[in-house]
Amino acid sequence: MPYIWLLPAMNKNIVLASTSTLYEGTYLDYLLPTIRELYQGVTEIIFIPYARPGGISHDDYTARATDFFATAGITVRGLHTFDNPATAIRNAAGFFTGGGNTFLLVKQLHTLQLMTALKQAVESGKPYLGTSAGSNIGGVNMQTTNDMPIVYPPSFDTMGLIPFNINPHYQDPIPGTKHMGETRETRIHEFHSQNAIPVVGLREGSWIRVKGNRITLEGALTARIFEQGKTPYELKTGAIIPF
Amino acid sequence: MPYIWLLPAMNKNIVLASTSTLYEGTYLDYLLPTIRELYQGVTEIIFIPYARPGGISHDDYTARATDFFATAGITVRGLHTFDNPATAIRNAAGFFTGGGNTFLLVKQLHTLQLMTALKQAVESGKPYLGTSAGSNIGGVNMQTTNDMPIVYPPSFDTMGLIPFNINPHYQDPIPGTKHMGETRETRIHEFHSQNAIPVVGLREGSWIRVKGNRITLEGALTARIFEQGKTPYELKTGAIIPF
């Protein structure tokens, strides 16, 4: 296999975070050192606002990202402002996809035929940050999202930047709860009754770091690993993701 | 409009419950008086086990329903055991669809082309009980389910036995939680950023009763009503659903 075909995968430079905001934190503040390192040498990125948390407008959501990234000396342009978003993606130096509703995000990316363009740009080595829904689309498919199916996407397939799925905002069962709805662990078990893709339950404060072919768990917490037919287990921060 | 076309709607006899099981309760026990009244004169029903909670088999899930319905003097047959399930639905005297994963249930019903057959049978007056996912499919579409999209259904449309959607296992925001994932109210608000269908947030212990054209809220609790562009509000038990 010629070296050139290995190069894209070797170049990956990706952060997939469970959440944008920690309890009592402000938007992205806990990720600032990580963001500085991720986007080193980059002065302008494209923000993908399609997940629209709480139904916020693309403009308002982009303004929120713009304000934060100014503190890191990075200019932000919303993908929705380009006449030709596919070309914009090919010309961009880096990307950030914010959280919100994963169904909305995936529908928009597929409908505008941007999912593959974005995947190719990130696999060529351009830095990518995702939070929550923006991290879900880094996985093989969006089928371990926690979100409500408020729209019908033409496909559940996502970028597959990593060879597994993420369950963001992972929550442990709450001891003594009177609520009878399924726990997160039960939901992922149901996913594995139909799918073989491993799932990383990523608690708020954790993120996945991809540098070339090395994929590690970062942040203060352990992550819960789910593999089809196996008992779930905890992975320590700093560890290489074993898939 | 000839009278014959009004007749089916006049006959509806439906219970759509938030959950099958209450905290510290046993399977369906709190619904026993309701079930006796719903299925009056019916000695055998079809159980629809496709939602498979926790990945349980169709046979095991049907056995669970069979055990309970024996206490009400009703025989249960699993829809999965019929060579021709569409014919079985047309010949049946009543139905119960159990909870589990709504995506799995809806995919199966559409793939086997049973959604319309079931809707027609229920609209002809045959008693129908749904719990959780089985209640979701009584709504206009499944887009206010809480479940994980573990499979890709060919459509999100459901039976539309009622002119609104249900959000089962409805949960109020938890005061003082440190979890940053969306509340249920935020999720339904996001649904209304894309859809105009009203949503009834049905707490565990509540159910919707449809008798002819009369649709009421039953059980011990109030329900939370969400309409596009309006402030959510509480509806008292016994009240007519205002859509």
Side-chain angles (χ1 to χ4, degrees), chain B:
Chain B
M1 192 189 286
Y3 178 69
I4 190 75
W5 293 111
L6 284 172
L7 199 62
M10 299 292 286
N11 277 345
K12 281 184 195 167
N13 186 21
I14 300 166
V15 170
L16 304 173
S18 174
T19 184
S20 64
T21 313
L22 293 182
Y23 179 67
E24 294 187 327
T26 60
Y27 189 58
L28 294 172
D29 63 346
Y30 79 103
L31 284 171
L32 184 57
T34 307
I35 284 171
R36 285 192 200 279
E37 188 237 323
L38 172 70
Y39 294 110
Q40 216 166 359
V42 170
T43 56
E44 182 176 294
I45 60 168
I46 283 184
F47 176 62
I48 301 173
Y50 298 145
R52 299 181 56 197
I56 188 175
S57 75
H58 292 149
D59 280 344
D60 288 351
Y61 198 18
T62 302
R64 191 189 293 177
T66 301
D67 286 351
F68 173 79
F69 274 89
T71 65
I74 295 172
T75 305
V76 168
R77 293 190 64 183
L79 185 54
H80 66 292
T81 64
F82 291 91
D83 288 337
N84 189 329
T87 302
I89 285 172
R90 277 190 292 274
N91 294 337
F95 308 95
F96 167 40
T97 306
N101 186 285
T102 310
F103 291 85
L104 203 50
L105 172 62
V106 169
K107 181 181 180 184
Q108 195 81 346
L109 286 174
H110 279 308
T111 303
L112 299 175
Q113 297 188 291
L114 300 176
M115 190 71 85
T116 304
L118 186 60
K119 173 186 167 71
Q120 286 169 346
V122 178
E123 290 189 337
S124 79
K126 293 175 180 178
Y128 178 88
L129 169 66
T131 57
S132 194
S135 297
N136 271 134
I137 64 168
V140 177
N141 62 44
M142 57 161 288
Q143 293 182 229
T144 50
T145 177
N146 310 307
D147 294 336
M148 200 171 254
I150 65 172
V151 293
Y152 185 72
S155 162
F156 283 163
D157 291 343
T158 48
M159 290 191 284
L161 304 174
I162 47 176
F164 54 91
N165 273 6
I166 287 174
N167 178 249
H169 301 282
Y170 181 76
Q171 275 194 300
D172 296 290
I174 300 161
T177 181
K178 295 180 178 175
H179 184 69
M180 301 299 286
E182 292 88 349
T183 64
R184 196 65 63 80
E185 188 153 325
T186 299
R187 294 173 194 278
I188 297 170
H189 182 68
E190 289 178 355
F191 173 77
H192 278 149
S193 77
Q194 305 291 321
N195 303 273
I197 301 162
V199 180
V200 174
L202 208 56
R203 297 185 176 89
E204 295 175 349
S206 293
W207 64 92
I208 302 282
R209 184 73 174 99
V210 186
K211 275 187 177 178
N213 283 327
R214 186 184 159 90
I215 309 179
T216 52
L217 173 68
E218 305 294 334
L221 307 165
T222 62
R224 195 149 184 88
I225 310 293
F226 301 86
E227 294 181 70
Q228 192 182 39
K230 292 191 188 172
T231 304
Y233 61 93
E234 294 291 316
L235 188 77
K236 283 186 184 163
T237 185
I240 289 177
I241 310 283
F243 316 118

Side-chain angles (χ1 to χ4, degrees), chain A residues 172-178, chain B residues 23:
Chain A
D172 296 291
I174 300 161
T177 180
K178 295 181 179 177
Chain B
Y23 179 67

